[in-house]
């Protein structure tokens, strides 16, 4: 049996190839360079996709869809803040959302609260504004004015009195009233989500008790609020059926408002699945929402382009780069048609396209997109964004082995980050890690270790504004460098610290599974096979929960767990794992890929070890045939496997145990 290639068949891959293992949290993944503060553009897509992109302008005042103003801030899904997406959605829904028009249907035109599109008429109605419209304006601007303690206490007393009065009222009045109280509680900014949830659930039940054949959009908004509050409390299983109900009861044939409600529901359901770590289901929901928006707005609307980018980011996270590239290309083309080239929005699209090309290995094209994005950022004086793009350019230069250009680009970004963010910001640490990786690749290990220490000083003592996922990613990056230096104990310690950091970030099932799988690989390399088996087993179970059963990463992890099973004498389990891994890798990589051939060899070796020689022979004949077609008959790998096959054929009729020799070959590989 030929020697196996560990770097191809196991998860202890070199630093660069680990981005295929640690899905969404790769050390060298181009998506790890992103803006972590309240800046104008954020196209990062590791955990930020699930927790930091906001939807506060998800479906701003549906009546504005009917106007000719197609500004990107309306009926779009993506906005550029850094607050929690659920918090920002609640902030939007507190204003009244797409049901605002229905709430005001009995008001006269002069008494109506002004919408964003009617702000030019504000001065003519200044004396007729209600307190609610002032609140709506402050919410839409993102600047909440909290009521004084006296007013808050008065609100609570007033709420209790009104609830008592309304308790015997018709449910059709009680539902809107309770929903209004829930929104007012949310708008205070220091609300208790449990209290708001209690009011919203009571409102939902009141709406349900008096539903007519025609859908009440205020009821749909109530469902969205209840689901969002469940998400804040991390009760995702309770939130999902409620959002599904909101989608089910809305009909796009009933007008644009209902289409808007269904679009909002699809995107919110996608976000909820994403926060659970179920990327596949989230993408299905996003695609449904995208189709609804395209049907309403058309393919050239800027808001449709923004949603294309949002959905493209989700595809990047799922490592579906071809579909991500298609969607991002659509977003870029929309800018050309709308003559908005060189805008911040196009810069975000160009940067994402660069990241996609980088991930596909097309580094020259990636640099072209990065340069265009950089020019737009420079024209708009976004220095931190320029520095973040410089980091991406440096990554591409590093992948092309253009080391001097990469060093120059990294140093330029480092100087900007230190000046604009301070010496202890995670962005500074991320550049230190890249410099450490570069010097490690060119054999300057002392410089590499120095930069690792600089980065760890920041990651181990993060500032108050540091994001937990940024810290976790940084620790993983440094761990990979130490692993490549064969300092396995230090690498293992950093991976365990990254797990603790991920405990503070919701919706990171897949990322945590990737880290645990890598811990299992390190234990395997250190000869701690029982620990390796335990960590890999846990990682596999989490990958299954997250729906990641068809990815190459999952197949490779199955293969590694199979090798650990052999070391602890669990041969039947090993055979089952290799069989499952083979089916996945053949689909993902194809039959000729080294990973696929390697897992076939592992399976044949396991069959040979347990006396299933006919099956081992069948697999080896298949592998030898593939290798001869691909590599030729004179290749060393082909020759070794042919010798192994000849031995099996020769001894297949004998009554002898050949397990020990085959196992020796398997484990040596």
């Amino acid at each position: 049996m030929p020697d196996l290639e560990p770097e191809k068949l196991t998860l202890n891959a070199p630093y660069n190839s680990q981005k295929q293992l640690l899905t969404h949290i790769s050390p060298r993944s181009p998506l790890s360079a992103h803006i972590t503060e309240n800046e104008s553009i954020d196209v990062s897509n590791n955990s930020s996709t699930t927790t930091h992109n906001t939807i506060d302008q998800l479906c701003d005042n549906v009546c504005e869809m009917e106007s000719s103003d197609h500004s990107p801030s309306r009926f779009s899904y993506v906005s550029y803040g850094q607050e929690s997406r659920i918090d920002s959605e609640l902030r939007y829904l507190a204003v009244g959302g797409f049901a605002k028009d229905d709430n005001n249907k009995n008001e006269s035109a002069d008494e109506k609260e002004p919408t964003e599109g009617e702000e030019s008429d504000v001065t003519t109605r200044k004396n007729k504004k209600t307190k609610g419209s002032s609140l709506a304006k402050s919410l839409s601007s993102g600047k909440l004015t909290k009521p004084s303690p006296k007013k808050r206490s008065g609100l609570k007393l007033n709420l209790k009195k009104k609830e008592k009065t309304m308790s015997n009222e018709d449910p059709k009045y009680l539902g809107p009233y309770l929903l209004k109280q829930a929104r007012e509680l949310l708008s205070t900014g220091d609300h208790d989500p449990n209290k708001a949830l209690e009011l919203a659930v009571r409102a939902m039940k009141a709406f349900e008790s008096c539903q007519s054949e025609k859908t009440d959009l205020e009821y749909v908004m109530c469902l969205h609020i209840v689901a969002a509050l469940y998400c804040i409390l991390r009760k995702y299983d309770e939130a999902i059926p409620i959002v599904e109900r909101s989608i089910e009861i809305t009909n796009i044939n009933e007008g644009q408002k209902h289409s808007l409600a269904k679009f909002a529901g699809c995107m919110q359901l996608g976000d909820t699945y994403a926060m659970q770590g179920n990327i596949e289901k989230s993408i299905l929901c996003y695609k449904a929402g995208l189709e609804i928006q395209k049907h309403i707005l058309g393919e050239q609307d800027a808001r449709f382009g923004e949603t294309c980018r949002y959905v493209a980011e989700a595809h990047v996270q799922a490592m579906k780069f071809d579909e991500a590239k298609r969607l991002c290309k659509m977003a870029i083309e929309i800018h050309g048609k709308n003559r908005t080239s060189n805008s911040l929005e196009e810069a975000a699209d160009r940067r994402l396209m660069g990241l996609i090309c980088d991930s596909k290995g097309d580094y020259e094209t990636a640099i072209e997109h990065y340069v265009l994005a950089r020019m737009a950022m420079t024209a708009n004086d976004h220095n931190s964004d320029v520095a973040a793009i410089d980091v991406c350019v440096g990554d591409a230069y590093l992948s092309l082995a253009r080391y001097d250009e990469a060093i120059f680009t990294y140093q330029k970004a480092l100087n900007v980050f230190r000046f604009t963010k301070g010496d202890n910001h995670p962005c500074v640490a991320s550049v230190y890690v890249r410099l450490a990786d570069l010097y490690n690749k060119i054999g300057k290990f002392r410089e590499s270790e120095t930069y690792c220490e600089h980065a760890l000083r920041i990651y181990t003592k993060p500032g108050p504004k540091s994001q937990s996922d940024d810290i976790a990613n940084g620790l993983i990056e440094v761990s990979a460098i130490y692993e490549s230096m064969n300092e396995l104990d230090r690498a293992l310690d950093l991976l365990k610290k990254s797990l603790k950091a991920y405990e503070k970030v919701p919706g990171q099932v897949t990322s945590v599974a990737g880290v645990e799988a890598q811990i299992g690989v390190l234990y395997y390399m250190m000869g701690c096979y029982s620990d390796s088996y335990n960590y890999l087993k846990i990682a596999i179970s989490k990958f299954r929960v997250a729906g990641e059963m068809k990815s190459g990463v999952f197949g490779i992890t199955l293969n590694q767990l199979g090798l650990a099973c052999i070391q602890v004498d669990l041969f039947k389990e090993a055979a089952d794992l290799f069989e499952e891994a083979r089916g996945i890798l053949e689909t993902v990589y194809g039959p000729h890929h080294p990973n696929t051939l390697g897992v076939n060899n592992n399976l044949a070796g396991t069959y040979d070890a347990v006396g299933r020689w006919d099956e081992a022979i069948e697999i080896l004949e298949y592998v030898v045939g593939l290798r001869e077609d691909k590599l030729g008959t004179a290749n060393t790998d082909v020759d070794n496997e042919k010798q192994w096959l000849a031995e099996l054929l020769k001894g297949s009729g004998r009554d002898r145990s050949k397990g020990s020799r085959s196992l020796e070959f398997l484990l040596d590989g």
Side-chain angles (χ1 to χ4, degrees):
M1 173 180 176
D3 291 340
L4 301 180
E5 299 181 34
E7 71 277 7
K8 293 180 180 177
L9 300 179
T10 65
L11 301 182
N12 52 321
Y15 184 59
N16 275 339
S17 63
Q18 283 190 359
K19 62 185 173 184
Q20 296 181 358
L21 164 64
L22 303 177
T23 314
H24 324 318
I25 52 172
S26 160
R28 275 276 294 110
S29 168
L31 296 177
S32 61
H34 62 281
I35 304 157
T36 57
E37 298 217 336
N38 191 18
E39 297 168 3
S40 61
I41 299 294
D42 180 8
V43 295
S44 64
N45 213 71
N46 35 29
S47 62
S48 300
T49 299
T50 58
T51 56
H52 298 304
N53 286 321
T54 61
I55 55 172
D56 53 329
Q57 294 172 338
L58 173 64
C59 42
D60 197 3
N61 201 343
V62 67
C63 68
E64 295 179 9
M65 289 175 51
E66 301 169 4
S67 71
S68 59
D69 182 1
H70 287 183
S71 66
S73 64
R74 300 192 177 106
F75 200 68
S76 64
Y77 193 68
V78 181
S79 61
Y80 305 119
Q82 282 294 324
E83 61 185 313
S84 163
R85 67 169 62 189
I86 293 298
D87 286 341
S88 61
E89 182 180 11
L90 287 175
R91 181 164 62 80
Y92 164 76
L93 291 172
V95 187
F98 45 76
K100 182 165 33 176
D101 286 347
D102 284 1
N103 291 339
N104 295 332
K105 62 186 177 182
N106 294 323
E107 295 179 10
S108 66
D110 289 337
E111 293 173 342
K112 228 177 161 183
E113 290 178 12
T115 65
E116 184 175 312
E118 297 169 333
E119 286 181 358
S120 59
D121 299 327
V122 166
T123 54
T124 63
R125 304 186 224 167
K126 188 172 182 180
N127 295 328
K128 296 185 180 181
K129 279 186 177 181
T130 65
K131 293 181 180 179
S133 63
S134 299
L135 173 61
K137 184 177 179 182
S138 66
L139 287 169
S140 63
S141 66
K143 298 176 181 178
L144 287 172
T145 304
K146 297 182 182 180
S148 65
K150 182 183 291 186
K151 287 184 178 179
R152 283 201 297 269
S153 61
L155 175 64
K156 292 177 182 177
L157 290 172
N158 193 34
L159 174 60
K160 290 180 180 179
K161 290 180 181 178
K162 288 187 176 180
E163 283 186 14
K164 187 175 180 180
T165 304
M166 294 289 293
S167 60
N168 296 321
E169 290 286 344
D170 191 320
K172 68 180 181 181
Y173 299 111
L174 184 60
Y177 171 76
L178 291 172
L179 180 60
K180 181 175 181 292
Q181 298 304 326
R183 296 203 326 251
E184 287 181 359
L185 185 59
L186 292 172
S187 67
T188 61
D190 58 353
H191 65 275
D192 175 7
N194 288 291
K195 177 61 178 175
L197 178 62
E198 179 187 345
L199 288 168
V201 168
R202 289 176 59 197
M204 179 179 69
K205 291 178 179 178
F207 279 118
E208 289 171 350
S209 66
C210 59
Q211 273 296 290
S212 61
E213 291 184 3
K214 187 174 181 180
T215 304
D216 184 350
L217 288 181
E218 199 166 20
Y219 170 48
V220 175
M221 184 180 67
C222 181
L223 293 173
H224 289 183
I225 289 178
V226 172
L229 285 164
Y230 274 130
C231 287
I232 285 180
L233 297 170
R234 300 191 183 183
K235 297 180 179 180
Y236 306 116
D237 291 335
E238 287 86 346
I240 288 172
I242 293 174
V243 186
E244 288 175 342
R245 172 65 177 158
S246 76
I247 297 171
E248 179 185 351
I249 64 176
T250 49
N251 186 346
I252 59 176
N253 296 323
E254 293 185 17
Q256 289 182 335
K257 297 178 187 177
H258 292 263
S259 298
L260 170 59
K262 188 176 283 287
F263 164 75
C266 289
M267 302 306 282
Q268 185 175 353
L269 183 59
D271 286 341
T272 307
Y273 278 126
M275 282 182 271
Q276 275 191 320
N278 197 328
I279 304 302
E280 293 293 335
K281 286 187 177 180
S282 73
I283 286 177
L284 290 176
C285 298
Y286 291 149
K287 290 171 72 174
L290 189 67
E291 286 300 313
I292 294 171
Q293 193 185 41
K294 181 174 73 172
H295 175 74
I296 299 169
L297 300 177
E299 296 186 10
Q300 298 185 19
D301 193 278
R303 296 160 287 182
F304 175 69
E306 290 182 353
T307 310
C308 283
R309 180 173 70 245
Y310 190 91
V311 181
E313 290 172 352
H315 280 86
V316 170
Q317 188 174 7
M319 301 183 76
K320 296 182 177 181
F321 300 117
D322 290 335
E323 180 64 12
K325 185 176 182 179
R326 184 186 72 82
L327 289 166
C328 194
K329 184 179 178 182
M330 288 173 59
I332 293 173
E333 289 174 348
I334 288 171
H335 289 296
K337 293 174 182 177
N338 293 331
R339 298 181 180 179
T340 55
S341 299
N342 211 37
S343 64
L344 290 175
E345 289 76 14
E346 189 193 29
D349 295 338
R350 290 284 185 188
R351 182 183 175 191
L352 179 59
M353 182 64 86
L355 299 177
I356 293 168
C357 294
D358 194 320
S359 299
K360 289 171 65 69
D362 188 1
Y363 305 115
E364 296 286 358
T365 304
I367 291 173
E368 293 175 8
H369 285 288
Y370 289 146
V371 169
L372 292 172
R374 192 184 190 282
M375 290 170 60
M377 293 296 183
T378 302
N380 288 278
D381 294 325
H382 282 252
N383 294 328
S384 293
D385 292 306
V386 171
I389 294 172
D390 281 338
V391 172
C392 296
V393 174
D395 291 344
Y397 282 143
L398 178 58
S399 299
L400 292 168
R402 294 162 63 174
Y403 300 121
D404 289 340
E405 292 167 283
I407 291 172
F408 174 77
T409 307
Y410 286 146
Q411 290 288 358
K412 185 166 57 173
L414 180 65
N415 292 335
V416 174
F417 280 144
R418 291 178 67 181
F419 178 75
T420 59
K421 298 178 180 294
D423 291 336
N424 296 317
H425 195 278
C427 285
V428 175
S430 71
V431 183
Y432 284 145
V433 173
R434 283 162 168 77
L435 287 166
D437 179 36
L438 188 154
Y439 282 114
N440 183 48
K441 280 181 167 59
I442 62 179
K444 295 185 177 182
F445 304 115
R446 181 176 297 177
E447 290 87 342
S448 177
E449 191 155 2
T450 298
Y451 278 117
C452 282
E453 291 170 355
H454 289 336
L456 287 176
R457 275 199 293 270
I458 298 173
Y459 289 135
T460 54
K461 294 182 180 180
K465 294 184 179 180
S466 299
Q467 302 289 339
S468 295
D469 57 318
D470 290 331
I471 303 304
N473 292 341
L475 293 171
I476 293 166
E477 293 172 355
V478 181
S479 170
I481 297 175
Y482 280 128
E483 181 187 334
S484 69
M485 295 178 180
N486 205 33
E487 296 187 31
L488 301 184
D489 288 330
R490 296 191 69 177
L492 185 63
D493 179 63
L494 292 174
L495 285 177
K496 290 183 177 180
K497 288 180 179 178
S498 73
L499 283 181
K500 292 182 179 179
Y502 269 127
E503 290 176 356
K504 303 176 183 178
V505 185
Q508 295 297 314
V509 178
T510 305
S511 300
V512 170
V515 177
E516 289 172 335
Q518 189 62 22
I519 290 174
V521 170
L522 290 180
Y523 272 128
Y524 188 93
M525 295 168 66
M526 296 164 69
C528 303
Y529 302 118
S530 180
D531 290 330
S532 174
Y533 172 82
N534 291 334
Y535 270 97
L536 289 164
K537 189 84 170 177
I538 293 171
I540 287 294
S541 65
K542 288 183 179 177
F543 278 133
R544 293 188 193 279
V545 168
E548 295 285 335
M549 284 98 70
K550 297 180 181 179
S551 66
V553 173
F554 183 66
I556 293 171
T557 309
L558 287 169
N559 179 74
Q560 183 65 52
L561 179 57
L563 292 175
C565 285
I566 290 174
Q567 295 287 4
V568 294
D569 298 330
L570 297 173
F571 301 111
K572 185 181 184 307
E573 184 177 350
D576 292 340
L577 291 165
F578 290 140
E579 287 171 357
E580 186 178 1
R582 178 178 62 173
I584 293 170
L585 296 179
E586 282 181 347
T587 302
V588 175
Y589 298 127
H592 292 91
H593 194 276
N595 285 357
T596 309
L597 294 173
V599 79
N600 271 296
N601 275 357
N602 287 352
L603 182 57
T606 306
Y607 285 157
D608 187 10
V610 298
R612 296 167 63 176
W613 298 312
D614 290 340
E615 292 166 284
I617 289 171
E618 182 182 353
I619 292 173
L620 276 177
E621 286 177 334
Y622 171 75
V623 171
V624 167
L626 289 177
R627 286 199 187 275
E628 285 180 338
D629 291 343
K630 190 74 175 178
L631 304 175
T633 57
N635 185 272
T636 304
D637 288 341
V638 177
D639 187 54
N640 290 339
E641 285 165 351
K642 287 173 70 175
Q643 290 181 24
W644 180 21
L645 177 59
E647 290 181 14
L648 285 175
L649 290 170
K650 182 179 178 180
S652 60
R654 299 181 184 178
D655 186 16
R656 66 181 181 89
S657 173
K658 308 187 324 171
S660 60
R661 184 161 187 238
S662 297
L663 266 184
E664 181 183 349
F665 274 26
L666 177 64
L667 299 179
D668 285 346

